[in-house]
């Protein structure tokens, strides 16, 4: 919200926040805004767009209601708990011809901004392997994350969504031809996904053209640091990596690899936290409406479904 307010591209008109402390923080960022009671009240305001940052179970339904009311939507990830839920939101955006954005923020880091042109220009040759990793040594602090009915799953839908999106987006959205996965909860194979969520997952994605993606993510891992975040690309003519620095959730470094030599591409600091929302707002302010690339939100959600075996 601070990032959106700082752009000067939009007026923050109203805030629907049930928590008093959260509402006070929001209104401190936007003193001219009004606090209203829920989404219905928000949609009655004279507004162009809605930012949705509620628990995951509400994302799809609230996004569809806002889109059907003629509002553009920026939603926290995941857009829905399942592929069909996400598909319904994307179709609602298409019908309403409204811009739909999701907070897939790692696309907008300076580190990925340095790596993606190498991939697009085939500077690394044929990229045959991609390793993507997100280990969060803490895990979520809100109970609903651990209820599969409310969250849609555990670390895969929470963290893996970033990794799958980053890998496929970076490579130009190749078809995913095969998925294998193993899910764990508290150190044992996930026994009942209707009653518990995974806190450790590994998956292999086979892509058209022969590339393989190896994914690993977790909550509460004994990682020796707060977080392990990486996207590593291995090509016939070189490699590239995004990695977090000293266990930071925010400081990311990009390098290009020439066999055993690493060439720096991007170093922290990089204030990237609000860039996905700002990108959406800038496009909205320039008159953008439905973007057909939103269909890839469904692509990612369908891969997540395959990892879960549903």
């Amino acid at each position: 919200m601070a990032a959106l307010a700082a752009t000067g591209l939009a007026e923050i008109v109203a805030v629907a926040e049930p928590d008093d402390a959260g509402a006070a923080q929001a209104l401190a960022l936007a003193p001219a805004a009004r606090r209203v009671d829920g989404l219905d009240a928000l949609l009655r305001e004279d507004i162009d767009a809605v930012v949705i940052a509620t628990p995951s179970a509400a994302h799809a339904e609230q996004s569809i209601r806002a889109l059907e009311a003629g509002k553009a939507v920026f939603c926290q990830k995941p857009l829905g708990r399942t592929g069909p839920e996400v598909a319904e939101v994307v179709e609602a955006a298409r019908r309403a011809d409204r811009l739909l954005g999701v907070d897939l923020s790692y696309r907008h880091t300076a580190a990925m901004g340095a790596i993606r042109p190498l991939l697009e220009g085939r500077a690394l040759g044929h990229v045959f392997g991609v390793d993507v990793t997100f280990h969060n040594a803490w895990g979520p602090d809100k109970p609903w994350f651990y209820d599969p009915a409310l969250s849609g799953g555990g670390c895969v839908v929470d963290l893996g969504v970033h990794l799958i999106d980053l890998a496929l987006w970076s490579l130009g959205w190749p078809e995913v031809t095969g998925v294998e996965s193993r899910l764990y909860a508290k150190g044992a194979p996930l026994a009942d996904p209707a009653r518990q969520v995974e806190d450790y997952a590994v998956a292999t994605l086979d892509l058209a053209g022969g590339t393989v993606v190896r994914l690993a993510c977790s909550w509460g891992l004994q990682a020796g640091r707060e977080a392990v975040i990486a996207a590593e690309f291995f090509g016939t003519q070189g490699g590239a990596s995004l990695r977090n620095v000293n266990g930071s959730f925010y400081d990311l470094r990009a390098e290009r690899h020439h066999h055993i030599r690493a060439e720096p591409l991007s170093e922290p600091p990089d204030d990237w936290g609000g860039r996905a929302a700002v990108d959406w707002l800038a496009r909205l302010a320039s008159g953008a409406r439905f973007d057909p690339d939103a269909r890839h939100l469904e692509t990612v959600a369908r891969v997540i479904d395959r990892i879960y075996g549903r």
Side-chain angles (χ1 to χ4, degrees):
M1 186 173 176
L4 293 174
T7 65
L9 294 174
E11 176 189 358
I12 299 173
V13 173
V15 174
E17 168 57 69
D19 178 71
D20 288 341
Q25 287 181 310
L27 294 174
L29 292 170
R34 296 180 293 280
R35 185 182 182 186
V36 300
D37 185 17
L39 183 62
D40 287 335
L42 200 61
L43 295 178
R44 287 194 293 268
E45 297 286 331
D46 183 18
I47 57 175
D48 301 297
V50 176
V51 176
I52 294 173
T54 52
S56 296
H59 287 179
E61 184 262 340
Q62 290 179 340
S63 294
I64 290 170
R65 286 173 59 195
L67 290 161
E68 290 179 342
K71 316 303 181 187
V73 167
F74 183 82
C75 188
Q76 181 54 263
K77 55 80 191 169
L79 183 57
R81 293 166 293 182
T82 65
E85 274 195 353
V86 171
E88 290 179 6
V89 182
V90 174
E91 175 57 20
R94 188 197 64 78
R95 286 197 310 267
D97 193 22
R98 290 295 182 269
L99 187 65
L100 172 64
V102 176
D103 193 17
L104 295 166
S105 46
Y106 289 88
R107 293 186 187 185
H108 299 273
T109 61
M112 277 314 303
I115 291 171
R116 196 178 188 223
L118 301 178
L119 301 171
E120 291 178 322
R122 298 187 61 82
L124 307 182
H126 168 57
V127 175
F128 55 85
V130 179
D131 288 356
V132 284
T133 307
F134 200 145
H135 298 306
N136 179 344
W138 298 110
D141 60 357
K142 296 181 174 61
W144 65 263
F145 277 94
Y146 302 93
D147 181 343
L150 297 179
S151 62
C155 60
V156 172
V157 75
D158 179 41
L159 305 177
V161 63
H162 282 302
L163 303 178
I164 297 163
D165 176 77
L166 200 61
L168 298 181
W169 169 78
S170 298
L171 298 175
W173 298 105
E175 179 187 0
V176 179
T177 58
V179 175
E180 294 182 1
S181 63
R182 297 185 70 178
L183 309 176
Y184 289 78
K186 301 188 183 306
L190 183 68
D192 188 356
R195 298 174 62 87
Q196 62 181 169
V197 298
E198 79 288 351
D199 55 25
Y200 179 82
V202 292
T204 301
L205 313 182
D206 294 316
L207 308 184
T211 301
V212 63
V213 177
R214 300 190 304 171
L215 177 150
C217 61
S218 67
W219 293 336
L221 193 72
Q222 308 292 333
R225 64 203 69 186
E226 289 196 299
V228 179
I229 303 169
E232 301 168 294
F233 301 87
F234 306 108
T236 54
Q237 302 298 320
S241 66
L242 170 154
R243 297 182 182 125
N244 67 322
V245 179
N246 297 326
S248 172
F249 283 98
Y250 307 105
D251 291 339
L252 304 173
R253 171 183 294 133
E255 295 177 334
R256 181 172 180 175
H257 304 158
H258 307 270
H259 195 209
I260 63 171
R261 181 171 63 86
E263 171 192 347
L265 296 176
S266 174
E267 293 282 344
D270 174 31
D271 186 14
W272 53 269
R275 281 196 196 131
V278 169
D279 174 76
W280 165 81
L281 178 59
R283 289 187 289 146
L284 183 64
S286 69
R289 300 178 82 86
F290 178 69
D291 182 353
D293 279 348
R295 71 188 187 279
H296 293 308
L297 298 168
E298 183 182 353
T299 301
V300 172
R302 297 287 187 184
V303 172
I304 290 173
D305 282 352
R306 292 167 73 180
I307 289 174
Y308 284 128
R310 59 195 184 197

